[in-house]
Amino acid sequence: MVSDSRFLLERISQGCVTLSDDEFVIDRLVKYFGNGRIRWHVEFRGHRIELTTGQLKKQPTFRRKMLEQTGVLPPQRAGTNYRRWAVDLRKNAVELPWRDRPVDSGFAIDRLASHGDGRWTVEYQGKTIKYTTTKLRRQVSFRKRMLAKAKVLPPELTPAAYRKWMDWLIQNATEAAPQAGDALMTEKSWLDDLPELAGWQNETVPEETG
């Protein structure tokens, strides 16, 4: 495998875009902890680059990952200057539990099934999550319920993009086989058997605009 330094030299010789110190400003660094490990997500110009602590500390590896995933090369810093910059970056990172990490942009549910009367189930990686039409169409409710029940946080879309995606899912939903007691369950009681995360039960979800 080509070393990080060699990889960078080859790309530089090919004319890759190299940013100056003033041009290279990351949006934020997020430290995800838990699961017995720490992962760092560098958010830069709409990209999210996942790194280990070791990869973040090594400038050639950091620059290679940034180049591979964003198409631009961060500036070369002197060794001590980079170490200082990386330490300051980690000190100011936003800390979040690992389960709150975003999923990749390729997030896709396995199946959306209709149970009639505004009741739905989302199947995702072996888990079945119950929804009402109202909760399904509100992105805030959809993401919170996925986090609570499937321990994954779907990517946040623009309101227009989410509506388009959800309309497509509903149009292509399958009909679930009827189960005993389904017809007697109201929209509210459909979710009563699944407690929400602490603090979400009484939260008023704002309407999305746009």
Side-chain angles (χ1 to χ4, degrees):
M1 182 177 179
V2 179
S3 68
D4 294 330
S5 297
R6 183 65 185 173
F7 175 87
L8 294 176
L9 287 173
E10 291 177 354
R11 292 300 182 274
I12 290 171
S13 67
Q14 294 169 9
C16 69
V17 178
T18 303
L19 302 182
S20 66
D21 284 337
D22 293 336
E23 293 173 321
F24 182 68
V25 180
I26 69 170
D27 299 317
R28 69 171 182 170
L29 176 68
V30 184
K31 176 183 179 181
Y32 290 100
F33 59 90
N35 240 15
R37 63 180 63 184
I38 292 175
R39 285 291 183 271
W40 307 84
H41 283 190
V42 174
E43 297 178 4
F44 175 77
R45 296 183 179 179
H47 296 275
R48 188 178 66 252
I49 301 90
E50 182 175 321
L51 301 163
T52 64
T53 303
Q55 290 171 335
L56 192 56
K57 287 181 176 179
K58 296 176 182 177
Q59 182 171 203
T61 305
F62 172 76
R63 297 179 79 212
R64 175 174 183 161
K65 295 278 284 187
M66 292 296 298
L67 178 59
E68 288 177 332
Q69 298 188 42
T70 70
V72 296
L73 182 64
Q76 173 75 41
R77 303 172 187 267
T80 54
N81 188 16
Y82 178 80
R83 286 193 293 272
R84 189 180 306 113
W85 176 82
V87 168
D88 289 341
L89 196 64
R90 296 199 302 274
K91 284 182 179 178
N92 292 290
V94 177
E95 296 192 10
L96 294 173
W98 177 249
R99 67 167 204 167
D100 288 351
R101 73 196 186 284
V103 299
D104 293 337
S105 57
F107 169 81
I109 67 172
D110 299 320
R111 185 173 84 127
L112 175 66
S114 171
H115 295 260
D117 297 325
R119 293 173 291 115
W120 309 81
T121 51
V122 170
E123 295 179 10
Y124 177 80
Q125 296 187 357
K127 293 183 173 61
T128 301
I129 303 96
K130 292 182 177 181
Y131 281 95
T132 63
T133 302
T134 300
K135 286 186 178 292
L136 200 59
R137 287 196 173 277
R138 290 181 178 175
Q139 182 171 197
V140 172
S141 300
F142 175 78
R143 296 179 79 223
K144 284 183 175 181
R145 195 159 185 81
M146 287 297 296
L147 177 59
K149 305 306 174 186
K151 300 298 184 284
V152 65
L153 186 64
E156 186 172 4
L157 305 176
T158 64
Y162 181 79
R163 283 195 297 270
K164 184 177 180 180
W165 178 67
M166 188 51 64
D167 285 345
W168 181 89
L169 283 181
I170 290 175
Q171 289 171 7
N172 291 276
T174 58
E175 293 291 331
Q179 298 178 5
D182 270 3
L184 302 176
M185 297 182 73
T186 64
E187 181 172 301
K188 182 176 184 302
S189 66
W190 176 245
L191 300 176
D192 283 348
D193 61 322
L194 295 175
E196 299 291 347
L197 287 181
W200 286 359
Q201 299 95 323
N202 302 318
E203 181 177 347
T204 300
V205 179
E207 292 286 350
E208 296 182 28
T209 60

